[in-house]
Amino acid sequence: MHFDLNKKFFSKLSIGTANLNNNYGLLKKNKINLNQFKNLIRLLKKKNIRFIDTSSAYGNSESFIGELKLSKFKIITKSIFDSKTKSFKINETLKNLRQKPYAILFHKFQDYKKNKNKFLNEIKEAKVSKYGVSIYSKKEFNM
């Protein structure tokens, strides 16, 4: 089977930023610094990849993205519920990104179940029209 990896195909891909200046994942290594990320952005532009996945939980990745002013990219970020402030800190995310994200997702399904109305109110105040929830298991998907 042959796949034609054309621009249309790449335009649907997303690059994750969990390792952007952050030791994340199973092995907790392979941190990507800002210069490496700038090089990656150039490659993404060349390959017509326009989606970037990030989260307020990924250290300062939202701030790194904001520093680069990536207005030609569609940023999808995930928000976690802060039990101290009783909020999702959507305004902080907007400040860090320096642009309105394409979409904001609940990072954890438990947050969705417990704090859906709070999240929706913050989304409405921020005037973000696309939102959703990250699903990590079949059980969450079936709920």
Side-chain angles (χ1 to χ4, degrees):
M1 182 181 254
H2 173 70
F3 292 100
D4 181 19
L5 299 181
N6 58 29
K7 280 192 167 196
K8 188 173 183 178
F9 170 81
F10 284 113
S11 70
K12 303 298 180 193
L13 294 178
S14 177
I15 189 76
T17 62
N19 287 79
L20 182 56
N21 203 37
N22 188 27
N23 290 326
Y24 182 88
L26 184 62
L27 301 176
K28 305 276 191 251
K29 63 180 186 178
N30 298 326
K31 179 174 20 177
I32 298 170
N33 66 37
L34 187 56
N35 284 332
Q36 291 169 317
F37 189 62
K38 286 177 183 178
N39 290 332
L40 181 58
I41 291 299
R42 282 192 279 282
L43 178 62
L44 296 176
K45 286 178 182 177
K46 186 177 177 180
K47 293 293 185 182
N48 200 38
I49 297 171
R50 293 292 186 255
F51 287 92
I52 296 177
D53 168 77
T54 192
S55 173
S56 57
Y58 299 163
N60 58 0
S61 69
E62 288 180 335
S63 295
F64 268 35
I65 290 167
E67 282 181 43
L68 297 179
K69 299 176 183 157
L70 302 175
S71 61
K72 295 197 187 284
F73 287 85
K74 295 179 179 181
I75 311 296
I76 300 170
T77 190
K78 295 176 286 300
S79 185
I80 56 173
F81 186 74
D82 184 328
S83 57
K84 289 181 186 175
T85 63
K86 303 286 188 219
S87 76
F88 286 90
K89 298 185 177 182
I90 301 293
N91 286 328
E92 188 175 316
T93 286
L94 297 175
K95 181 181 158 202
N96 290 338
L97 290 173
R98 299 182 190 178
Q99 72 183 64
K100 192 175 291 191
Y102 178 75
I104 299 180
L105 308 176
F106 286 94
H107 199 272
K108 298 178 181 175
F109 188 75
Q110 309 88 282
D111 289 343
Y112 168 77
K113 289 187 74 171
K114 293 178 188 173
N115 304 291
K116 180 181 177 184
N117 291 333
K118 176 69 177 154
F119 180 79
L120 293 176
N121 286 336
E122 287 187 45
I123 289 291
K124 186 177 180 180
E125 286 176 28
K127 297 181 176 147
V128 175
S129 60
K130 295 182 187 321
Y131 54 89
V133 62
S134 290
I135 303 292
Y136 296 97
S137 72
K138 184 177 178 181
K139 180 181 175 185
E140 291 175 347
F141 184 76
N142 290 325
M143 293 183 103

